[in-house]
Amino acid sequence: MTEVVSENSEVTVLLVDDNPQNLKVLYETLKDKGYRLLIANEGEKALDLAQRHQPEVILLDIMMPEMDGYEVCQRLKADPETADCAVVFLSALDDLSAKVKGFSLGGADYIAKPFQSQEVIARVKTHARVIRLERELQARNRELQGDQTRILNSISEGIYGLDEQGTIEFANPAAGLIMRCPVEDLIGRNFFEVHFSTAAECPTSLPVHATCSQGVAENQRDIRMLRTDNTAFPAEYRSTPKHEGNELHGAVVVFRDITAELESERELDEARELVQEQRDQLAHTSRLTTMGEMAAGVAHEVNQPLTAIANYARVAKRVMAKETPNLSLLQETLDKIEAQSHRASEIIRRIRRFMKKPATGKEVLSVSALLEDTRQFAEVDMRNNDGAINLVVPDDLPDILADPIQVQQVALNLIRNALEATRSAESALPVEVSARVMSEGCVRVEVRDRGVGLAEDAEEKLFLPFYTTKDEGMGIGLPTCRSLIQAQGGDIGFERPEDGGALFFFTLPVAGAPGTSSCPSGAD
């Protein structure tokens, strides 16, 4: 039971009692006092409401079933979101030990039953005012701490105060450290002449000049500045006009040496390139491993059209050996040879496309076509596992932006796992592969099996490298899948359907959708 009375009131009061009559009395007592009232009839609901609304005052009954008021208070005080709420205990218990226990757990006050309306009103008003003032003070303290932090952070940066001509009127100690000279040596010198070798040639185009002369704020990164010894360093600066009334009196310049930062960025870029190269290599190795596992089935799949071609060729020879060849039958036989050759070529094309290393960059892809191609490639696994695949993709599903080879590798891995899991459970139901649009501008692909389900510790282990539940597995399939999908800006995970089995999913950004270069968690 939950009720909100006044949406515009400033103070929120949570009433908690398992007795409806007591709640009614409290409600009637406080309803016209301008408070926003929340009502709960048991501990769990009270904790949920307190977490969501952070009330100033909580009137809390002690004697409740399942979770008494003491435990509720203890959990409220243990949560940083609700620790500052004023908990006022309500109880018919009038012994000293009960009150001491309540106060020891963080309670702020105690009201004995039966309630006296004026006492309840007065105590709620007092505690609400105290908590409100405390929260305002805490908010102000946070603001002051933020101001202090910003000031302290700026101390490590050089700060100049310039007049309209760029003369340095003020320099902080950090400016002297960056310039490698005493601060006194900077005061009175011209900022432009000190820091830029082209100051005499084109002063109006120099950084900060527009701020000093026109009052235009500037912010630039990676510009070349000079020290007093003429050594150069890359810098980032911000300049703000300095006004007195309506008159411009120069500028305040904050600057810093970003040599180490640029070096770190370069090293980070190199590390990203190395990680991407290793990810691609691991993905390619995983594809080779998959093809090795599927080799026998693939050979059988290719052998079928080749055998048919040989048989139809023999038929064509017999037709042509006759004194009066049946040209219609010969044409039909040759058409069948051509069809089987196309079938063999398509099988080989699909294998070659899957085996090759993906080209750099993403493409606009049809999810339906990509999943159908993957389903055909998984026909070998369907036969080996005596299984089937049911593909369900809406006609109006939007295209995605991704690498087709890497996405197909992920889909094939999940489908093969699902077929094996279904076979291990001796189920005759097909593996379900589906896709749908999510509200975040992403497409979610799901692979559902009818196997024995996932272990209880799957969340901690399933995507760890080299963890596997297969006797001959290497444990790189699902970790590789996660790496590939995250590289596409998507997410991968699993769910446990209520009727058994397992459901794996991955998400990919919709092509052309604004703000969807990456998808949030794919879980609904």
Side-chain angles (χ1 to χ4, degrees), residues 274-309:
L274 179 59
V275 168
Q276 184 60 47
E277 181 180 341
Q278 292 175 341
R279 178 190 287 126
D280 292 342
Q281 185 62 41
L282 181 60
H284 188 59
T285 301
S286 179
R287 286 197 295 276
L288 292 176
T289 302
T290 300
M291 284 306 305
E293 296 171 354
M294 299 171 65
V298 170
H300 175 74
E301 189 174 0
V302 174
N303 190 53
Q304 284 185 325
L306 295 180
T307 301
I309 289 172

Side-chain angles (χ1 to χ4, degrees), residues 484-496:
L484 294 179
I485 289 300
Q486 289 177 344
Q488 310 302 314
D491 186 43
I492 188 169
F494 63 87
E495 297 173 358
R496 294 182 175 90

Side-chain angles (χ1 to χ4, degrees), residues 365-371 391-400 434-438 442-446 508 510-511:
L365 306 172
S366 165
V367 178
S368 178
L370 189 68
L371 293 180
L391 181 60
V392 180
V393 180
D395 294 335
D396 59 349
L397 194 70
D399 291 341
I400 59 172
S434 60
R436 57 187 172 88
V437 177
M438 296 179 64
C442 295
V443 167
R444 169 168 158 142
V445 177
E446 299 178 351
L508 293 166
V510 171

Side-chain angles (χ1 to χ4, degrees), residues 256-504:
R256 61 193 182 97
D257 184 344
I258 59 172
T259 302
E261 187 175 311
L262 292 178
E263 179 63 22
S264 296
E265 291 175 0
R266 184 186 64 80
E267 293 176 354
L268 182 59
D269 289 339
E270 291 176 354
R272 287 196 183 107
E273 292 175 3
L274 179 59
V275 168
Q276 184 60 47
E277 181 180 341
Q278 292 175 341
R279 178 190 287 126
D280 292 342
Q281 185 62 41
L282 181 60
H284 188 59
T285 301
S286 179
R287 286 197 295 276
L288 292 176
T289 302
T290 300
M291 284 306 305
E293 296 171 354
M294 299 171 65
V298 170
H300 175 74
E301 189 174 0
V302 174
N303 190 53
Q304 284 185 325
L306 295 180
T307 301
I309 289 172
N311 291 336
Y312 288 137
R314 284 192 288 271
V315 171
K317 283 183 178 180
R318 288 197 296 271
V319 172
M320 293 176 65
K322 292 183 179 181
E323 184 176 345
T324 307
N326 185 336
L327 297 180
S328 176
L329 178 58
L330 180 61
Q331 179 65 43
E332 181 181 346
T333 304
L334 292 174
D335 288 341
K336 290 179 179 179
I337 290 175
E338 182 182 15
Q340 291 298 321
S341 69
H342 286 317
R343 179 185 172 192
S345 176
E346 176 60 23
I347 294 170
I348 294 171
R349 181 192 65 81
R350 195 184 307 141
I351 294 171
R352 289 182 62 187
R353 189 172 68 245
F354 181 75
M355 292 293 291
K356 73 176 183 179
K357 288 188 177 181
T360 303
K362 302 174 183 179
E363 302 175 15
V364 176
L365 306 172
S366 165
V367 178
S368 178
L370 189 68
L371 293 180
E372 174 58 29
D373 198 28
T374 307
R375 187 196 66 79
Q376 293 178 16
F377 202 71
E379 287 180 354
V380 173
D381 289 279
M382 281 193 283
R383 287 195 296 270
N384 292 340
N385 291 283
D386 296 324
I389 299 173
N390 184 23
L391 181 60
V392 180
V393 180
D395 294 335
D396 59 349
L397 194 70
D399 291 341
I400 59 172
L401 182 66
D403 184 308
I405 303 301
Q406 293 186 355
V407 174
Q408 188 180 62
Q409 181 174 349
V410 174
L412 181 62
N413 190 300
L414 296 182
I415 289 173
R416 295 182 72 229
N417 288 348
L419 288 167
E420 293 174 6
T422 301
R423 181 192 63 182
S424 66
E426 299 181 352
S427 172
L429 294 172
V431 169
E432 298 175 3
V433 181
S434 60
R436 57 187 172 88
V437 177
M438 296 179 64
S439 59
E440 298 88 351
C442 295
V443 167
R444 169 168 158 142
V445 177
E446 299 178 351
V447 178
R448 166 75 190 278
D449 68 53
R450 303 292 178 168
V452 296
L454 299 169
E456 293 183 359
D457 60 353
E459 286 84 355
E460 291 78 22
K461 295 182 177 180
L462 202 56
F463 288 95
L464 292 177
F466 309 114
Y467 171 76
T468 180
T469 58
K470 301 177 183 178
D471 294 337
E472 299 178 357
M474 292 178 62
I476 63 173
L478 287 176
T480 300
C481 288
R482 166 171 281 181
S483 176
L484 294 179
I485 289 300
Q486 289 177 344
Q488 310 302 314
D491 186 43
I492 188 169
F494 63 87
E495 297 173 358
R496 294 182 175 90
E498 293 182 359
D499 55 348
L503 184 151
F504 282 81

Side-chain angles (χ1 to χ4, degrees), residues 37 48 75 108 180 195 203 205 299 357 372 382 398 408 474 512 514:
L37 299 180
D48 178 63
R75 290 175 62 175
R180 299 175 184 170
H195 286 292
S205 63
K357 288 188 177 181
E372 174 58 29
M382 281 193 283
Q408 188 180 62
M474 292 178 62

Side-chain angles (χ1 to χ4, degrees), residues 159-176:
I159 302 176
Y160 286 141
L162 310 180
D163 67 12
E164 306 93 295
Q165 286 74 41
T167 302
I168 301 173
E169 298 178 326
F170 166 81
N172 71 335

